[in-house]
Amino acid sequence: MSIGSTAYIFGVWGAIAIISGIAALLGYTLFSHFSQEVIAATTAVAAGAILAMISDTMIPEAFEQAHDFAGLILVLGFLAAFVLSKLA
């Protein structure tokens, strides 16, 4: 099977979907016993990590211009938008 084949691509994405589902189930099961503060802090860290990842991979122009600070800038922009939405 070549790396560019359709079966390979669907296989990789299918595996990612299955592993993500299993991870979500495990996380839900494990975190159901933690306090709301722990769950909120973990969710906030995960959201920040996702925003940083998106800025580094999906916004290459921002990464080229701000290299080391692209993720931080995106997260700060998201935080500012969140705060402003809560003030309204």
Side-chain angles (χ1 to χ4, degrees):
M1 186 168 15
S2 69
I3 290 182
S5 74
T6 304
Y8 176 79
I9 293 169
F10 278 105
V12 168
W13 279 106
I16 289 170
I18 291 169
I19 292 169
S20 295
I22 293 169
L25 178 63
L26 288 173
Y28 180 79
T29 302
L30 292 173
F31 276 80
S32 65
H33 304 294
F34 291 133
S35 69
Q36 292 296 322
E37 291 81 14
V38 171
I39 294 170
T42 304
T43 302
V45 170
I50 290 171
L51 286 171
M53 180 188 67
I54 288 171
S55 73
D56 286 347
T57 58
M58 301 284 291
I59 310 171
E61 295 85 14
F63 188 71
E64 286 177 12
Q65 298 295 319
H67 190 61
D68 291 335
F69 299 106
L72 180 61
I73 292 168
L74 180 72
V75 171
L76 290 175
F78 178 79
L79 182 60
F82 176 77
V83 169
L84 290 173
S85 74
K86 293 300 178 186
L87 293 176

